[in-house]
Amino acid sequence: MLSIVVIIYILLIQQPYQTYQLETIQVTLASTVELPCSIGQNIEPTNPAKIIWIRDDRADIVSLDSVITVRDRRLSILTMDSMDREERILRITNVEEQDQGLYRCVRGDITLNEILLDILIPPRIISHSPEHMRKTIREGHNARFSCTASGRPTPVIVWHVNGLSRPAIVTTITGKNESILILRNVSRFDSGRVDCSASNTLSTVNRQFLLHVKYKPTVTVPFHLSYFRLYDSVTITCRACSLPSTTLFDFFRPKQVAPIINDVKDKFDEFINQTCRQLTITLYLGDSSLFGAYVCRARNSIGISHADFVIKELVQSTKYVKYITESRPSTSLSSSSSIVTTSLTKIKSAEDDDASKRHAEYSYKTSNTIKTEVIARKNQAYQLSTSLVLILVLFIISQC
């Protein structure tokens, strides 16, 4: 039993002396951090060794007791000695990214403290494509953007198109922390901002690209069919939107190369915004040949488009507009028409008088018939009542 106790005692004596636990300290760039190291005076009082700070990843002796041994003015040792404790605090001001690593405080062959210094770094976008932050592409093609970000913790990259999360293909290259956005089959409505955002626990940074989508003109007219009278003045508007701007913009007749010039009273061309123009013309319909189909045509470097519309002649009922297609009647015809009209009027009046007489006779006969029937019914009732009285008188006499 005694031998076992002796063996355990020897093993304890040979066991390395440890009074520390691995500690991690996180700090941000440009801040100040203090790494503590202390030892009690009553522990190994006969050990004359000094307290030393060592940076393991570089194998640098940072300090010897209270003296800094490297050329770095940001480093200093805070010495605090008392009756029962010695402290050598390593202080680092204006922390830089290169300060990250493992620091050990030792005394002789004994490690007193071990600290992992973790430097938190805000996200940074270190590269991007396109470099000039602008991209121009034709409608229907694919647009490619990329962002590479650094930071600690590793930033997460998110894409937005005009403030929205548009369905797209996003590829992340982990080793470089590069994110690639591919917009397939872009349309003119994708024109605008494409934002790349990199975020970690500290902050968020952005890069904003401008996307320009080129497309051929889109031509619109307010009405595709309109009715007007001959000799009217008609105002027609046409709007064309395109990128790049429209170079050809005018009104044409179908299958005609030259724009309409004749019978145009007024013409006004204006820009509505950066991509849209509006053309307005006033056309005098002085000839029936001006009724028919028209074309508003616009062209830019991408392509050509048009919108059709039709102007039709407005014709009222023939009872009121015979003067449009026939000549004015002669005087003799007018007189004849008056005579015929007068005769017809007289005949109609005579017919009306005859009908009135027949109606009066019918009413008189009907009235007499009704009166006769009423008198007959009264007589029958009187005779019946007289008979009843006579029968009653005879019955009374017979009883007496």
Side-chain angles (χ1 to χ4, degrees), residues 93-364:
T93 61
N94 194 22
V95 171
E96 298 177 357
E97 186 175 354
Q98 63 186 10
D99 295 327
Q100 176 160 315
L102 183 65
Y103 292 80
R104 287 193 305 124
C105 175
V106 301
R107 185 177 187 183
D109 57 353
I110 300 173
T111 299
L112 304 176
N113 202 2
E114 193 171 40
I115 299 174
L116 177 62
L117 185 61
D118 187 16
I119 310 299
L120 300 180
I121 303 172
R124 290 179 296 174
I125 296 178
I126 56 179
S127 66
H128 51 77
S129 175
E131 295 183 358
H132 52 279
M133 311 298 292
R134 292 176 178 269
K135 193 172 192 67
T136 302
I137 193 169
R138 287 188 62 170
E139 190 172 36
H141 290 200
N142 298 336
R144 184 182 184 276
F145 301 86
S146 69
C147 274
T148 303
S150 65
R152 191 178 293 111
T154 302
V156 177
I157 299 176
V158 178
W159 294 91
H160 291 90
V161 179
N162 291 321
L164 302 174
S165 297
R166 181 189 186 279
I169 296 177
V170 179
T171 303
T172 302
I173 301 176
T174 307
K176 298 172 57 179
N177 196 34
E178 179 183 7
S179 181
I180 300 173
L181 172 71
I182 298 178
L183 299 177
R184 295 195 178 278
N185 191 25
V186 295
S187 71
R188 66 197 67 184
F189 304 106
D190 293 320
S191 295
R193 302 191 334 267
V194 177
D195 295 306
C196 166
S197 302
S199 305
N200 66 7
T201 56
L202 297 180
S203 62
T204 300
V205 292
N206 296 281
R207 285 292 182 274
Q208 187 179 99
F209 304 92
L210 292 180
L211 174 62
H212 297 284
V213 180
K214 299 189 296 183
Y215 56 94
K216 69 178 184 178
T218 300
V219 184
T220 56
V221 291
F223 303 100
H224 292 279
L225 177 62
S226 302
Y227 288 88
F228 294 93
R229 292 186 294 268
L230 189 66
Y231 308 117
D232 279 352
S233 292
V234 53
T235 299
I236 307 166
T237 61
C238 177
R239 180 172 295 189
C241 299
S242 65
L243 186 70
S245 181
T246 301
T247 54
L248 171 67
F249 189 31
D250 219 322
F251 289 96
F252 298 81
R253 295 305 296 266
K255 300 180 181 181
Q256 298 294 323
V257 178
I260 300 172
I261 299 176
N262 298 331
D263 302 298
V264 175
K265 295 174 59 178
D266 193 15
K267 189 173 185 179
F268 184 63
D269 189 355
E270 62 177 335
F271 279 90
I272 304 300
N273 51 43
Q274 293 181 348
T275 58
C276 295
R277 290 170 62 184
Q278 180 168 295
L279 181 63
T280 304
I281 66 168
T282 301
L283 189 65
Y284 176 65
L285 302 176
D287 189 271
S288 59
S289 63
L290 294 175
F291 292 102
Y294 287 81
V295 176
C296 178
R297 191 181 304 163
R299 180 176 63 195
N300 66 358
S301 60
I302 306 300
I304 185 169
S305 299
H306 67 274
D308 301 326
F309 61 96
V310 177
I311 300 176
K312 285 193 173 183
E313 184 176 4
L314 178 63
V315 179
Q316 298 180 1
S317 174
T318 55
K319 184 185 292 185
Y320 303 103
V321 295
K322 284 184 177 181
Y323 65 92
I324 295 178
T325 56
E326 299 178 359
S327 59
R328 184 178 296 277
S330 62
T331 306
S332 59
L333 290 176
S334 298
S335 302
S336 300
S337 298
S338 300
I339 294 170
V340 170
T341 302
T342 304
S343 301
L344 290 175
T345 302
K346 290 181 178 179
I347 292 171
K348 183 172 179 60
S349 299
E351 291 177 352
D352 292 340
D353 293 337
D354 187 41
S356 298
K357 290 179 179 179
R358 287 197 300 271
H359 179 70
E361 291 175 358
Y362 174 79
S363 299
Y364 177 76

Side-chain angles (χ1 to χ4, degrees), residues 5-32:
V5 174
V6 172
I7 293 172
I8 294 174
Y9 178 77
I10 293 172
L11 291 174
L12 289 174
I13 293 175
Q14 293 179 350
Q15 188 72 17
Y17 180 81
Q18 280 190 330
T19 61
Y20 73 94
Q21 292 181 346
L22 180 62
E23 181 184 2
T24 299
I25 297 178
Q26 291 184 330
V27 294
T28 58
L29 290 174
S31 62
T32 298

